[in-house]
Amino acid sequence: MSRCVKRLGKWVSLGQSKRGFSTSTIQKDGVENGVKSLNLYSAINQALHIALDTDPRSYVFGEDVGFGGVFRCTTGLADRFGKNRVFNTPLCEQGIVGFGIGLAAMGNRAIAEIQFADYIFPAFDQIVNEAAKFRYRSGNQFNCGGLTIRTPYGAVGHGGHYHSQSPEAFFCHVPGIKVVIPRSPKEAKGLLLSCIRDPNPIVFFEPKWLYRLAVEEVPEDDYMLPLSEAEVIRQGSDITLVGWGAQLAIMEQACIDAEKEGISCELIDLKTLIPWDKETVEASVKKTGRLLISHEAPVTGGFGAEISASILERCFSRLEAPVARVCGLDTPFPLVFEPFYMPTKNKILDAIKSTVNY
Amino acid sequence: MATLLFRKSRTLLLAHNNHQHLQNKLALLVRTRSRSSPFVNYCSNSRILPSSSHPFLPSSSRYESTEAQPQLEDLQHQVTHHDDQMIDFPGGKVGFTSEMSFISDTSHIRVPCYRVLDDDGELVNHTNHVQVSKELAVRMHSEMVTLQTMDSIFYELQRQGRISFYLTTSGEEAVNIASAAALSSHDVILPQYREPGVLLWRGFTLQQFAHQCFGNTNDLGKGRQMPIHYGSNKHNYFTVSSPIATQLPQAVGAAYSLKMDGKSACAVTFCGDGSTSEGDFHAALNFAAVMEAPVVFICRNNGWAISTPVEEQFRSDGIVVKGQAYGIWSIRVDGNDALAVYSAVHTAREIAIKEQRPVLIEALTYRVGHHSTSDDSTKYRSTGEIEYWKMERNPVNRFKRWVEKNGWSSEKDELELRSSVRKQLMHAIQVAEKAQKPPLEDMFTDVYDQLSSNLEEQERELRQTIEKHPKDYLSDVPL
Ligand SMILES: Cc1ncc(C[n+]2csc(CCOP(=O)(O)OP(=O)(O)O)c2C)c(N)n1
């Protein structure tokens, strides 16, 4: 298996652990066409093909999606499904999301692309005040549950302020929308299909560093992975690590190194940030007695803070050390200082050790 | 010294008189300030019938005055019939009509594009333009050549992997340089990202451009942003920000400050055709009109926003027609004609400052290069189209022909200039590439005016991590 991710100039193999990033939840009996080795953008592309193919009332749109999108995720869709269902929009994020809400409210699946998560903010009002409250404010007479907003997020090594951010926490503060982040090609396909078909508006953040670099065997058929279900992707007994998206690859490396030093780490992929699967994390922390959370977004007010507080409420008496957070720093995402900003493997490893030795 | 040359054509005056006549006859109590404008010749109709007064008026009155006449006469006929009937609406009286007619989406005739030089670099007949002296023309030409040379060398540099990103102004050199030449250095610039020529004109050195692209310790932005995100307080040039169109309403705020301070300067902001779709563009135009802010909006309509052609960006007749809806004077110019751009911007600046009002300029040009080094534009547009604009409509060649025809410069001068700029750039690149990166402390400063306690703590912890894991931090950032 060629599951390799290039991070911080080094090649990190993701295939070393027993379970790696394979998805244990796939129903194997659904596989008809077999599996194919795919990178993450191709897996997204496959999911979009399936979504458009299986529901004639589904639409894909956003800036530059017509020719395939700046990350190639929408390649071939306009040719196959026509320009009425797959189209470029004017350069206006508030328009894209507002349009998507209206389309969804009329009973369609609106799959909107925001070119970079850094550019989602013009649409913030439409997401926070409109999409999130559409159902609630109408007493469930109306809903825009068919809306899915896909957007690439996260560091890429040279993105600077506006091509690197991880803004997921802003959206986790908004009851009424779901936030989902996949870690690998197979996960991306199954989770995206679930998001598209879920009856709630969802922001789906795609780890753009992995678009080309993460390669995985992906079933070719139509499958969905459950939302709001975290997954233990590595079992351990000394400390629980919680993360999502691209950061899991870094965390897994830290787990492997910690193991060499005799520390057994349990790694959990949260997958859905709201509403999140507290039970899985709680059960794990009750077993290990320790918790570490890691994300690229700035540590202050990040979603790690919410996980930390919730687990403290539920597991206070079982905790043997303070909850550790290894995250991005409280600065704008800086170009030349990116290696210093990032929550690296060694920062995580150090935190694992100091938490275990507390 | 530049002088204004007016074209007092019969049609223009006629149209103007007709409007006056109509206005009197209708006894429209529109709330227009009766300032006698020295620029009235440039704006044949925009102040006469604010669109808000006539929701059902055929829209084409905004076009060439001769074309507008029949429709205005129609209106005159309709409304005089009911001239005692008016709705006294907040903001001004509105006449009634019994005719149900919708304003059409666009006129059959597109707003013409103002030009001074034809494609061969010949002055077109009867042109009204602001004179450009020999000295200024030679400098404009040489700065365009410098910009071209910088673009081609930096682009190569990125291809070689020595800088992480680049985008060129290729095809848009005239909009860059001629607009810069028409402004005063006191005018405040809020750029998009494809206007480094304005900064070049203002004296930002090739060395400074190179420093920014390498993100080294001499970069005024302290290595924090991607290449091409230039900015220089000294040159009244706000730092480039990637999010599209955000600079536009900011420019109105900046202009309002100049207005309040009684400065003889305006704010000038640039954007692309794609930017005009963002909410910020519309907010900016509306604010500018309502606040009567001395701001000049220069929209580089270069046909493409990454892969999205203008037909998929907006309908009706492009950007110039949006001005009137907001109550802003606007003009469409040939963006590949440096003299036309110069004249339009020079005049717009005077209008903005003397009349304290905004002006919108739509410059028709073409993005000859890929969107950026992350793009391959042959995926979505024909090479024929690119070649046409690169060769037949090349703005630098056109201007050069005019300059050479005047005997102000020669082919030999240009070759010498190109090779000298090349040498300067090679040297600048060497220096910038060798220079140290900004020190680590620059990561934490400027988040706020002073280092906050959380950042102090994070810097301390980071330094401990670096000490523990020096191999993770082999970057050339001094610690
Ligand atoms: C708010 C926002 N959305 C999307 C982008 C991504 N993006 C960068 S440039 C660009 C196209 C801009 O086109 P235009 O305004 O016409 O300028 P041009 O590049 O043609 O000069 C897009 C969509 C962005 N930078 N900001």
Side-chain angles (χ1 to χ4, degrees):
Chain A
M1 269 220 283
S2 56
R3 254 189 270 120
C4 292
V5 183
K6 194 182 181 210
R7 300 293 306 247
L8 307 174
K10 277 174 247 146
W11 284 89
V12 177
S13 169
L14 301 186
Q16 290 176 11
S17 78
K18 195 171 138 258
R19 303 184 64 172
F21 281 4
S22 68
T23 306
S24 54
T25 35
I26 292 178
Q27 303 126 2
K28 288 278 185 273
D29 44 317
V31 181
E32 278 174 17
N33 310 329
V35 292
K36 215 180 190 174
S37 194
L38 286 187
N39 61 21
L40 198 139
Y41 87 74
S42 306
I44 299 275
N45 184 255
Q46 225 179 56
L48 294 173
H49 265 100
I50 292 170
L52 288 163
D53 206 25
T54 51
D55 186 349
R57 295 188 69 101
S58 53
Y59 297 85
V60 170
F61 51 91
E63 291 156 20
D64 303 296
V65 306
F67 89 117
V70 298
F71 290 106
R72 315 309 303 146
C73 292
T74 53
T75 304
L77 298 176
D79 286 343
R80 166 101 187 267
F81 299 101
K83 283 192 158 189
N84 287 337
R85 293 182 63 204
V86 179
F87 46 91
N88 287 340
T89 63
L91 205 180
C92 182
E93 292 74 16
Q94 66 192 92
I96 293 169
V97 175
F99 175 91
I101 292 172
L103 190 63
M106 297 298 283
N108 302 288
R109 296 196 197 285
I111 309 166
E113 176 176 308
I114 299 293
Q115 202 163 76
F116 284 85
D118 310 71
Y119 304 135
I120 203 167
F121 299 106
F124 205 52
D125 189 39
Q126 286 289 350
I127 297 171
V128 173
N129 281 332
E130 298 304 314
K133 299 166 179 60
F134 218 80
R135 187 190 302 275
Y136 196 78
R137 73 181 180 202
S138 70
N140 201 20
Q141 297 179 85
F142 298 98
N143 76 79
C144 61
L147 174 67
T148 302
I149 302 166
R150 299 176 36 244
T151 188
Y153 85 97
V156 283
H158 51 258
H161 295 356
Y162 302 114
H163 298 85
S164 309
Q165 294 177 82
S166 298
E168 69 273 4
F170 290 110
F171 301 92
C172 292
H173 201 56
V174 187
I177 54 169
K178 296 186 178 182
V179 173
V180 177
I181 311 183
R183 67 169 186 270
S184 72
K186 188 154 61 183
E187 288 285 311
K189 180 177 169 185
L191 287 171
L192 180 55
L193 280 166
S194 291
C195 289
I196 291 168
R197 292 161 179 171
D198 188 88
N200 296 284
I202 298 184
V203 185
F204 186 77
F205 289 101
E206 298 171 3
K208 64 176 173 291
W209 205 334
L210 305 187
Y211 271 145
R212 284 163 193 278
L213 291 170
V215 178
E216 194 176 27
E217 305 287 304
V218 179
E220 289 204 292
D221 66 335
D222 181 351
Y223 66 91
M224 298 198 287
L225 298 175
L227 302 185
S228 292
E229 262 186 38
E231 183 188 348
V232 177
I233 55 177
R234 183 189 173 90
Q235 305 220 348
S237 53
D238 296 329
I239 182 168
T240 301
L241 276 71
V242 176
W244 49 86
Q247 187 59 12
L248 287 165
I250 308 302
M251 298 171 78
E252 166 138 285
Q253 280 305 302
C255 294
I256 291 165
D257 284 10
E259 192 161 43
K260 289 177 197 149
E261 303 192 26
I263 303 171
S264 163
C265 302
E266 182 143 303
L267 181 58
I268 296 178
D269 177 2
L270 203 56
K271 301 188 195 185
T272 301
L273 274 65
I274 48 162
W276 63 287
D277 179 1
K278 268 184 212 174
E279 288 66 32
T280 298
V281 179
E282 182 186 352
S284 173
V285 175
K286 283 196 167 142
K287 180 175 76 174
T288 63
R290 298 175 188 90
L291 174 64
L292 180 153
I293 305 142
S294 181
H295 54 67
E296 271 179 29
V299 60
T300 299
F303 197 63
E306 176 59 35
I307 298 173
S308 170
S310 296
I311 293 305
L312 225 76
E313 282 163 5
R314 293 184 171 214
C315 308
F316 182 69
S317 61
R318 306 289 279 270
L319 282 170
E320 292 175 36
V323 176
R325 287 182 293 163
V326 183
C327 302
L329 305 187
D330 290 335
T331 69
F333 200 103
L335 183 81
V336 302
F337 306 114
E338 178 169 330
F340 299 90
Y341 171 94
M342 294 294 279
T344 56
K345 180 201 76 179
N346 279 326
K347 284 183 187 172
I348 298 168
L349 187 60
D350 287 350
I352 290 174
K353 288 192 225 164
S354 60
T355 304
V356 170
N357 299 325
Y358 183 76
Chain B
M1 198 31 223
T3 50
L4 291 174
L5 292 179
F6 293 93
R7 172 195 173 219
K8 295 194 173 174
S9 85
R10 225 175 74 79
T11 20
L12 271 175
L13 287 174
L14 202 80
H16 182 64
N17 288 340
N18 272 349
H19 285 134
Q20 290 294 352
H21 173 67
L22 179 65
Q23 202 175 19
N24 296 339
K25 199 157 182 188
L26 297 176
L28 277 177
L29 297 172
V30 238
R31 198 171 53 92
T32 50
R33 282 151 304 154
S34 55
R35 298 183 290 199
S36 62
S37 164
F39 302 102
V40 76
N41 293 277
Y42 287 114
C43 192
S44 54
N45 56 18
S46 72
R47 301 295 297 178
I48 311 302
L49 294 169
S51 51
S52 63
S53 327
H54 292 278
F56 299 115
L57 178 77
S59 66
S60 37
S61 63
R62 60 170 101 93
Y63 300 111
E64 177 95 302
S65 37
T66 42
E67 286 302 319
Q69 278 180 31
Q71 275 141 339
L72 287 170
E73 277 158 17
D74 283 355
L75 173 85
Q76 190 178 353
H77 174 73
Q78 287 167 30
V79 185
T80 41
H81 192 64
H82 301 280
D83 64 356
D84 54 335
Q85 293 186 36
M86 293 267 180
I87 176 167
D88 194 2
F89 192 74
K93 291 196 175 179
V94 180
F96 283 115
T97 175
S98 57
E99 180 111 347
M100 188 182 72
S101 72
F102 294 86
I103 299 174
S104 74
D105 56 341
T106 186
S107 161
H108 299 301
I109 302 196
R110 299 194 63 179
V111 173
C113 180
Y114 168 65
R115 72 168 177 178
V116 176
L117 290 178
D118 68 16
D119 284 355
D120 297 323
E122 295 282 356
L123 282 179
V124 297
N125 289 334
H126 310 298
T127 167
N128 60 336
H129 72 277
V130 182
Q131 292 289 1
V132 169
S133 68
K134 170 184 172 182
E135 192 194 358
L136 186 63
V138 169
R139 180 161 174 229
M140 283 165 69
H141 177 240
S142 102
E143 299 276 21
M144 281 195 250
V145 168
T146 304
L147 182 59
Q148 268 188 337
T149 314
M150 178 173 91
D151 273 345
S152 67
I153 290 180
F154 282 4
Y155 186 81
E156 262 320 295
L157 212 56
Q158 195 281 338
R159 295 280 113 163
Q160 296 162 7
R162 291 158 72 188
I163 56 175
S164 58
F165 176 84
Y166 195 69
L167 61 75
T168 72
T169 56
S170 184
E172 301 176 51
E173 295 89 346
V175 187
N176 266 255
I177 297 298
S179 62
L183 299 172
S184 135
S185 59
H186 300 296
D187 299 331
V188 174
I189 307 292
L190 288 95
Q192 180 158 312
Y193 47 66
R194 216 181 288 282
E195 305 90 10
V198 179
L199 196 48
L200 180 72
W201 182 270
R202 291 186 167 205
F204 201 71
T205 63
L206 295 176
Q207 186 64 68
Q208 285 176 300
F209 281 107
H211 285 322
Q212 198 285 330
C213 287
F214 279 97
N216 66 31
T217 186
N218 305 308
D219 165 21
L220 299 176
K222 305 185 184 172
R224 293 168 184 156
Q225 285 215 80
M226 284 170 70
I228 70 100
H229 289 65
Y230 314 112
S232 172
N233 193 319
K234 182 180 151 202
H235 297 101
N236 275 328
Y237 191 96
F238 278 64
T239 301
V240 171
S241 165
S242 317
I244 292 291
T246 49
Q247 73 281 9
L248 301 172
Q250 296 167 7
V252 184
Y256 194 73
S257 171
L258 294 171
K259 180 188 182 90
M260 289 297 105
D261 292 344
K263 290 273 165 59
S264 177
C266 59
V268 179
T269 186
F270 291 84
C271 68
D273 41 280
S275 308
T276 68
S277 293
E278 288 282 8
D280 275 348
F281 172 83
H282 300 270
L285 260 60
N286 194 35
F287 268 62
V290 172
M291 308 297 170
E292 298 175 358
V295 53
V296 178
F297 297 98
I298 303 179
C299 178
R300 302 173 288 95
N301 181 352
N302 64 17
W304 295 90
I306 309 188
S307 75
T308 306
V310 285
E311 312 87 79
E312 293 175 24
Q313 198 63 252
F314 41 65
R315 293 297 162 90
S316 183
D317 188 13
I319 293 134
V320 66
V321 296
K322 298 183 201 292
Q324 193 181 44
Y326 287 105
I328 294 184
W329 283 22
S330 38
I331 188 170
R332 170 175 277 161
V333 302
D334 182 345
N336 287 14
D337 173 355
L339 285 187
V341 172
Y342 180 84
S343 278
V345 175
H346 191 277
T347 309
R349 173 180 191 274
E350 289 199 9
I351 295 169
I353 295 171
K354 294 209 176 113
E355 303 235 328
Q356 292 291 296
R357 65 161 86 209
V359 182
L360 170 65
I361 298 175
E362 176 185 20
L364 297 186
T365 180
Y366 190 80
R367 194 196 80 212
V368 166
H370 302 304
H371 170 73
S372 72
T373 48
S374 314
D375 176 45
D376 171 9
S377 63
T378 58
K379 282 206 174 89
Y380 50 80
R381 59 181 188 176
S382 75
T383 44
E385 179 182 307
I386 304 171
E387 278 306 294
Y388 167 72
W389 283 88
K390 188 171 172 182
M391 307 310 293
E392 321 264 312
R393 306 220 73 243
N394 187 306
V396 185
N397 292 351
R398 196 193 313 186
F399 191 65
K400 170 181 143 182
R401 281 190 209 115
W402 180 71
V403 172
E404 284 181 2
K405 266 176 211 150
N406 288 335
W408 293 344
S409 151
S410 66
E411 189 67 39
K412 189 167 148 271
D413 295 339
E414 186 178 323
L415 287 177
E416 278 172 17
L417 175 66
R418 281 190 194 274
S419 100
S420 134
V421 171
R422 248 193 130 70
K423 272 191 208 125
Q424 288 173 54
L425 275 163
M426 290 309 176
H427 177 71
I429 288 166
Q430 259 185 3
V431 172
E433 201 164 24
K434 271 198 228 125
Q436 276 195 323
K437 292 285 179 252
L440 184 62
E441 65 196 55
D442 280 354
M443 175 174 171
F444 296 96
T445 54
D446 306 333
V447 178
Y448 302 102
D449 64 328
Q450 291 181 354
L451 213 58
S452 53
S453 58
N454 59 324
L455 288 174
E456 272 173 9
E457 186 188 358
Q458 288 174 20
E459 183 173 352
R460 236 182 357 258
E461 285 171 6
L462 175 62
R463 289 186 185 281
Q464 286 164 9
T465 307
I466 296 168
E467 234 163 72
K468 236 173 133 183
H469 306 285
K471 281 194 203 133
D472 287 359
Y473 301 97
L474 294 177
S475 83
D476 33 7
V477 170
L479 301 174

